[in-house]
Amino acid sequence: MGTVETFDFNFPLKAVDKIIHLYLPEGVGPFPVMYMYDGHNLFFDSWATYGTSWGLKDFMDQQAQPMIIVGIECSHEGSERLWEYSPYYIEKGLYGSGPIDGYGKEYMEWLVKDLKPFIDNKYPTLKEREYTAIAGSSMGGLMAFYSGLAHNDTFSKIVCLSPSLMFTRNDLVNELQNANIDTNSRFYFSFGEREVLNYPKSLKAVEYFQQALDEVGAITTVHIEEDGEHNEATWAVQNQRYFDFLFEE
């Protein structure tokens, strides 16, 4: 059985500590690593914002492919999560927040240059790109996708659940055009069926990027979860699906 530990890790841009929720499998390793946003929602219902987690502790304890999961807790102050999970400026804002001058680019530089080396030095990781994944949902799904484009030399496996790509579509188009995408890249996209009915533009944005990624040789899939919505329960039932896709031979 694996263990979940938490610790603080400094985020110099905002002079704050980020809470890291880390799942460590039993055994000696080394292990692949998945970095995930909204780390407080990953493992236990009692920690989750809305009382339902992804159940990843129980899920990972049953997996034949052990993996370290590094969950980074988001900021809970006002609209700060929207700022840290957007790599771009969003003039119209989101959810009544007003304009968002996102610092997601700087956040990702911190993850790649500070947090990842710390994890690699302290834990039995497989450090190479081939064994490094990133995942997130909603705005975290946007950040995971951005990470897969801007830091494709670091992440080969990208999971974007209900990603908010439509809010920064044009910026992401430019990002992809300037990216050097390795053909050994896997992108998993998904939405809930009910979510798509309410926000069809979300799926259209993902379908555009799927086609563009296919054209440069990446491996992609888009899954629509039957009766699914924009919530942790819908994302949790996909755990096996996206893990199978990431490590498919």
Side-chain angles (χ1 to χ4, degrees), residues 8-29:
D8 293 339
F9 193 79
N10 188 249
F11 181 50
L13 181 69
K14 293 293 180 177
V16 298
D17 288 338
K18 290 293 184 186
I19 302 174
I20 308 300
H21 303 255
L22 185 141
Y23 172 85
L24 183 65
E26 63 180 353
V28 296

Side-chain angles (χ1 to χ4, degrees), residues 2-6 21-24 43-44 47 57:
T3 59
V4 175
E5 59 185 81
T6 62
H21 303 255
L22 185 141
Y23 172 85
L24 183 65
F43 300 113
F44 304 113
W47 292 1
K57 165 65 166 65

Side-chain angles (χ1 to χ4, degrees), residues 9-192:
F9 193 79
N10 188 249
F11 181 50
L13 181 69
K14 293 293 180 177
V16 298
D17 288 338
K18 290 293 184 186
I19 302 174
I20 308 300
H21 303 255
L22 185 141
Y23 172 85
L24 183 65
E26 63 180 353
V28 296
F31 306 108
V33 183
M34 178 180 285
Y35 292 86
M36 301 185 75
Y37 297 106
D38 295 308
H40 52 293
N41 290 334
L42 301 179
F43 300 113
F44 304 113
D45 291 349
S46 59
W47 292 1
T49 300
Y50 301 108
T52 300
S53 74
W54 296 37
L56 280 172
K57 165 65 166 65
D58 291 340
F59 173 79
M60 290 305 303
D61 284 345
Q62 305 302 317
Q63 294 304 293
Q65 169 64 67
M67 173 180 285
I68 293 173
I69 295 180
V70 182
I72 311 164
E73 185 161 340
C74 72
S75 173
H76 299 286
E77 297 181 6
S79 300
E80 193 70 16
R81 178 179 177 273
L82 301 178
W83 288 60
E84 69 181 356
Y85 283 4
S86 175
Y88 313 109
Y89 178 77
I90 303 177
E91 182 176 4
K92 295 182 179 179
L94 299 172
Y95 315 113
S97 67
I100 295 171
D101 191 7
Y103 53 89
K105 291 184 180 181
E106 293 81 2
Y107 185 100
M108 275 310 306
E109 290 294 320
W110 164 79
L111 193 158
V112 169
K113 295 181 179 179
D114 292 352
L115 180 59
K116 184 179 186 300
F118 171 81
I119 297 296
D120 286 337
N121 287 332
K122 184 173 180 179
Y123 297 94
T125 68
L126 291 166
K127 303 173 177 61
E128 295 82 6
R129 173 186 182 275
E130 178 184 357
Y131 305 105
T132 307
I134 193 158
S137 59
S138 192
M139 289 296 288
L142 163 62
M143 277 292 282
F145 184 58
Y146 166 78
S147 307
L149 302 183
H151 294 277
N152 195 257
D153 57 340
T154 299
F155 304 105
S156 65
K157 307 176 193 303
I158 300 95
V159 177
C160 309
L161 302 168
S162 302
S164 302
L165 306 188
M166 62 286 189
F167 298 124
T168 58
R169 186 181 186 278
N170 292 337
D171 290 303
L172 289 168
V173 168
N174 292 332
E175 199 77 55
L176 179 53
Q177 288 175 345
N178 293 316
N180 183 17
I181 305 297
D182 193 302
T183 54
N184 181 22
S185 299
R186 288 180 172 267
F187 288 81
Y188 177 98
F189 301 99
S190 78
F191 291 102

